[in-house]
Amino acid sequence: VQLQASGGGLVQAGGSLRLACAASGRTFSRHAMGWFRRSPGEERQFVAYISRGGGITAYEDSVKGRFTISRDNAKNTVTLQMNSLKPEDTAVHFCAAGSTMSSDGERYKIWGQGTQVTVSS
């Protein structure tokens, strides 16, 4: 599986963005998927994950109620709908694939290249 993230950009606080992660290969549905982010000078932070079938999701506390992760195994894509964006959401956002769901980035072996999200106040 190879991953390509897109959809980042510049948005005002309170706005929305929809990130997409397109996967190549035939094994997408065998992987749990996660979104992580990294701000300048900060450690990588878990954002959300979704199970192989899409029935189980989890979110980092600061994004609960604002972000929604979903996947379409027929189209080999996972998306992150981000609403009510805040300046502190500014970061490079990465999608990742792993054999199990986890908020620990070390559990994910395949990473996309990242897409920049910038939220202005």
Side-chain angles (χ1 to χ4, degrees):
V1 172
Q2 291 183 319
L3 305 175
Q4 179 78 32
S6 62
L10 173 63
V11 64
Q12 289 188 332
S16 298
L17 284 173
R18 186 177 181 88
L19 304 185
C21 180
S24 62
R26 300 181 179 181
T27 63
F28 176 72
S29 63
R30 301 178 191 175
H31 292 81
M33 298 296 297
W35 284 97
F36 293 78
R37 64 189 182 187
R38 177 176 283 147
S39 303
E42 301 287 334
E43 296 289 323
R44 182 177 61 198
Q45 179 187 36
F46 164 71
V47 176
Y49 66 63
I50 189 166
S51 60
R52 296 183 185 90
I56 301 172
T57 60
Y59 300 89
E60 195 272 331
D61 285 346
S62 69
V63 308
K64 283 181 181 177
R66 300 189 298 122
F67 291 10
T68 302
I69 188 172
S70 61
R71 68 188 295 164
D72 185 336
N73 285 343
K75 296 181 178 179
N76 280 14
T77 59
V78 60
T79 60
L80 185 69
Q81 177 67 43
M82 305 186 296
N83 298 328
S84 302
L85 282 161
K86 304 176 181 179
E88 50 264 44
D89 294 319
T90 295
V92 179
H93 286 64
F94 301 87
C95 58
S99 58
T100 59
M101 299 178 293
S102 179
S103 60
D104 181 355
E106 296 302 318
R107 294 295 189 97
Y108 294 84
K109 303 305 180 185
I110 304 169
W111 291 80
Q113 87 288 4
T115 184
Q116 176 70 47
V117 171
T118 302
V119 185
S120 63
S121 57

